[in-house]
Amino acid sequence: MGNVKKAALSLLLASTFLGACSQEVEEEAADPKDSKEDKVENQEYLQSFQGNLGHVHGLGYIEEGLAFAAHTGIKIYQEGQWKEAVDHPHDYMGFQVREDGFLASGHPIPSSDLQNPLGLQKGKVSKESLEALAFDGESDFHVMGAGFANESVYVFNEQPNSQLDQGFYKSTDLGSTWDSINAEGIEGGVFQMAVHPTNGETVAIATDSGVFLSENGGQSFERISESGQAGGLYFTEDELFYGLYNGEATMTSYLIGESGTSDVSIPDLTEDAVMYFTAKDNRMVIYTFNGSAYISEDGGENWEKIVEKGETVS
């Protein structure tokens, strides 16, 4: 992955996240009470949660609310209350929200029949089972990006498996086939990826050196940011949002195709920076390297803290 060689904070941020999250947790099983239809309608696949999220490896808006891929499973912030997904207690990595659910890698809990590592899996919070798409039992993809409404998946493969060597790869069919990509122009240690929601040829990579954008399927990338520890990658149809730390935390909106940028208002982050970012309508959410989460209901004008140093706030 490469070591962060910039500011001392960047060293702490990237090393904390990129270190293998191998500790595993036991599942708290919940017995279904009604039919599957009733369970889904009444959201009985969710239960109340309060506590520490541990490491977070992605977030995004799903049907049930704001989902965090936490160390002990998927946690959901729903109308001011915290819930957790009963059937998804796994330590998901590379978590990506799609229009039909989510994609993830990572590690299953010890009591699961799933192979470890998970490889590439497809799931839905309301469904008990996962669908193995590729490399289950072989690979744990920490750095992964996937399109919300297309079938493109990009990964940085850290360890060779039965098909892929170390390096950058792309699938246009949700993991059925893979092609190596050149990724020319990338500088620094790779930290995060994001894919455009509808155009699978447009992909962004965040490194400890900045933000890089490709519009040709990852064959070549262009730097679009200043130098610094980058994160918080998030695409809309017309914009790419990204966070940067080069002495202070900033958030930027980049207009795709026009190269124009504008600042995004964020909370005052002292010795901290944006790790993840997501948005829905006028709502914005950030999760920081130091384990805090903030939500804005008015496009960033005002922010409410919902996680502080890993602990949920409600």
Side-chain angles (χ1 to χ4, degrees):
M1 288 290 292
N3 293 325
V4 179
K5 299 179 179 178
K6 304 296 181 182
L9 176 62
S10 295
L11 277 167
L12 175 62
L13 302 183
S15 63
T16 298
F17 175 77
L18 293 174
C21 189
S22 59
Q23 179 183 356
E24 296 171 318
V25 293
E26 294 294 335
E27 179 178 15
E28 294 179 5
D31 295 328
K33 299 177 182 178
D34 305 310
S35 68
K36 290 184 179 180
E37 291 78 10
D38 289 340
K39 179 179 178 181
V40 171
E41 182 178 352
N42 299 327
Q43 291 194 342
E44 292 179 14
Y45 52 88
L46 301 180
Q47 64 185 12
S48 296
F49 174 77
Q50 195 73 27
N52 197 292
L53 298 182
H55 300 297
V56 169
H57 301 286
L59 81 168
Y61 277 100
I62 60 175
E63 182 179 347
E64 290 78 7
L66 174 62
F68 292 75
H71 177 63
T72 56
I74 295 179
K75 315 303 181 188
I76 297 171
Y77 188 72
Q78 182 188 79
E79 298 180 355
Q81 300 295 317
W82 283 96
K83 308 281 188 178
E84 64 181 350
V86 174
D87 299 316
H88 295 276
H90 311 297
D91 186 9
Y92 290 130
M93 305 282 186
F95 183 78
Q96 301 287 307
V97 170
R98 286 179 42 81
E99 61 182 352
D100 57 355
F102 65 85
L103 298 183
S105 190
H107 304 278
I109 60 170
S111 58
S112 171
D113 293 331
L114 296 169
Q115 294 194 66
N116 186 19
L118 291 172
L120 177 61
Q121 301 276 343
K122 181 180 179 181
K124 193 174 177 65
V125 167
S126 60
K127 293 184 178 180
E128 296 181 17
S129 60
L130 293 170
E131 178 185 354
L133 300 179
F135 309 123
D136 49 321
E138 294 188 63
S139 295
D140 173 17
F141 299 118
H142 284 210
V143 182
M144 180 168 70
F148 181 79
N150 63 70
E151 295 191 342
S152 290
V153 181
Y154 292 76
V155 300
F156 178 73
N157 189 38
E158 298 180 60
Q159 300 291 332
N161 60 36
S162 60
Q163 295 184 41
L164 313 181
D165 292 327
Q166 185 182 46
F168 293 95
Y169 289 86
K170 170 189 175 183
S171 172
T172 57
D173 50 17
L174 288 181
S176 294
T177 59
W178 295 87
D179 293 308
S180 175
I181 57 176
N182 294 329
E184 293 180 359
I186 295 294
E187 300 175 14
V190 180
F191 176 67
Q192 198 173 89
M193 288 184 179
V195 180
H196 190 274
T198 57
N199 182 1
E201 292 293 290
T202 300
V203 57
I205 291 181
T207 77
D208 57 28
S209 178
V211 180
F212 301 84
L213 180 67
S214 172
E215 297 185 73
N216 60 6
Q219 295 305 321
S220 62
F221 285 80
E222 175 187 1
R223 174 187 287 274
I224 62 170
S225 77
E226 297 178 356
S227 181
Q229 174 67 54
L233 298 179
Y234 178 78
F235 277 104
T236 65
E237 194 66 32
D238 303 313
E239 298 172 281
L240 169 64
F241 290 87
Y242 64 84
L244 200 68
Y245 183 86
N246 53 10
E248 65 176 349
T250 60
M251 194 78 198
T252 299
S253 169
Y254 175 89
L255 288 176
I256 302 169
E258 299 182 19
S259 302
T261 62
S262 59
D263 295 334
V264 177
S265 297
I266 59 175
D268 182 22
L269 301 177
T270 303
E271 296 186 350
D272 201 0
V274 177
M275 177 185 282
Y276 297 113
F277 176 92
T278 193
K280 183 179 182 181
D281 301 325
N282 206 36
R283 189 177 298 156
M284 293 180 173
V285 180
I286 64 173
Y287 183 84
T288 75
F289 282 93
N290 287 345
S292 293
Y294 301 82
I295 187 168
S296 172
E297 303 284 352
D298 53 14
E301 292 298 319
N302 298 281
W303 292 89
E304 175 188 1
K305 183 180 286 188
I306 59 174
V307 179
E308 183 171 11
K309 295 181 179 179
E311 294 287 334
T312 57
V313 177
S314 59

